Amino acid sequence: MSSQSLRRWSWIHKWSSLVCTVFMLLLCLTGLPLIYHHEIGHLLGNDVEAPAVDPKVGRANLDEVIAAGRALYPNKIMMYMSQEADEPNIWNVTLGDHPTDEHYKPIAVDARTAKVITEPAFEGGAFMSTMFRLHVDLFAGLPGKLFLGFMGLLLLVAIVSGVVLYAPFMRKQDFGTVRHGRTSRLKWLDLHNLLGIVTLVWALVVGATGMVNTWADVLLKYWQATEIAEMLAPYHGAPPPTKLASMEDAVRLAERASPGMQVAFVAFPGTPFASPHHYGVYMRGNEAFSSRLYKPVLIDAQTGAITDHRDLPWYLTALLISQPLHFGDYGGGWMQFLWALLDIATIVVLGSGLYLWVQRGRAVKRHAQAVAQSGAPLATPALVRTGD
């Protein structure tokens, strides 16, 4: 690689890293507890568990489940109801003042008795809720998400440029070498490079999936403006439903139309995952991978008839795959542990990068002062050039 090309890549790596490092440190620090959000919620006693009942008790009618939730907030409307794959005895019912209410009320209802169990908090309580909002949008909504997405893009640029710079650097020494006994800066430079290469694939995966996740709102709006608009064309100009069809009948109809699948969640009319005229019943598979992919079944909210059902477009499929992959939710405890270790290693990479930048600035300043005192011509010190 020519010296001019090396300088160009060095400039790209330097500034892409400097711009995104502080925010990436924030995301790594907030992401670490989020990897274990289920476990932290359990330790803090925020888990919702279904009470023991007679095994002979069957499944409650879904209309009764909805009625139990609405009884707590009669002035609010239904937004969603969902079930976790590992907790089929609980329906999570969500109510709000309007279909897109961000201050919704979550209610856990027993799926067998249709009795309210509790009003759960976010897993881990206020601390985990704060970590989640900082990690997702910096408490700034869509602008915050898109800003963090741009920081994720800069991270990918920094990783690629770092790999380009690392190749010629490693020709001079064995892989994994950490030089001791010279200067603290060189030791941290070697450690920074080593950990950067070790965490390369993970950082690319997490950075790319995190960037995709920040586009969720935009992708949903695009889906609504294209495929959903196409599915709703026959309802153009039609008045909204005056009476909603039975949810029990709607879900059973969706199950018959999607053999081998089970209900993941139901979106009520007006919410982003439905339409003003439909229930959106989202089915999922039973395997570890297929359980992350949804198949929407649109059901006329007034007549209870299926109007359309089709697979999600590729970009929403990519979004659904990237969300659990971002937090290591696919492989159980061992994958979570690996994700946590790599997260900590990335924190060291980011922190050492900041340290090296500060130390380099100090070295340049000391060199300039020494030159000024000696009256010698100004030259770049070898310490600043070596390994950068």
Side-chain angles (χ1 to χ4, degrees), residues 6 8 54 93 112 142 152 165-166 182 198 212 239 273 299 326 335 340 366 370 378:
L6 192 63
R8 185 182 300 114
D54 189 331
V93 176
R112 301 154 299 178
L142 180 58
L165 293 172
Y166 188 67
R182 294 180 63 180
V198 169
V212 171
F273 289 91
I299 296 180
H326 186 70
M335 189 170 180
R366 286 195 300 267
L378 184 63

Side-chain angles (χ1 to χ4, degrees), residues 254-271:
E255 289 175 337
R256 289 195 294 272
S258 308
M261 305 185 78
Q262 60 188 33
V263 177
F265 71 95
V266 178
F268 282 72
T271 57

Side-chain angles (χ1 to χ4, degrees), residues 22-142:
V22 172
F23 296 99
M24 290 301 107
L25 272 172
L26 173 66
L27 294 179
C28 285
L29 290 170
T30 56
L32 190 57
L34 290 174
I35 294 173
Y36 288 101
H37 65 282
H38 289 296
E39 291 77 6
I40 291 173
H42 180 72
L43 288 174
L44 296 178
N46 294 320
D47 274 358
V48 179
E49 296 183 0
V53 298
D54 189 331
K56 296 180 181 179
V57 175
R59 314 299 294 175
N61 185 290
L62 294 183
D63 297 315
E64 295 177 0
V65 171
I66 293 172
R70 294 200 63 185
L72 292 181
Y73 298 98
N75 294 324
K76 296 185 180 294
I77 63 172
M78 284 291 299
M79 297 173 62
Y80 300 98
M81 60 188 303
S82 64
Q83 276 191 321
E84 298 291 339
D86 58 352
E87 186 48 273
N89 292 325
I90 295 177
W91 277 105
N92 300 296
V93 176
T94 304
L95 297 101
D97 292 326
H98 51 83
T100 57
D101 189 0
E102 294 184 357
H103 303 288
Y104 53 81
K105 297 293 184 182
I107 302 169
V109 181
D110 195 307
R112 301 154 299 178
T113 63
K115 293 182 178 179
V116 172
I117 300 173
T118 186
E119 295 185 57
F122 185 88
E123 289 177 311
F127 170 74
M128 291 300 292
S129 179
T130 300
M131 293 297 100
F132 180 77
R133 289 297 306 275
L134 283 173
H135 192 85
V136 170
D137 62 8
L138 299 174
F139 288 94
L142 180 58

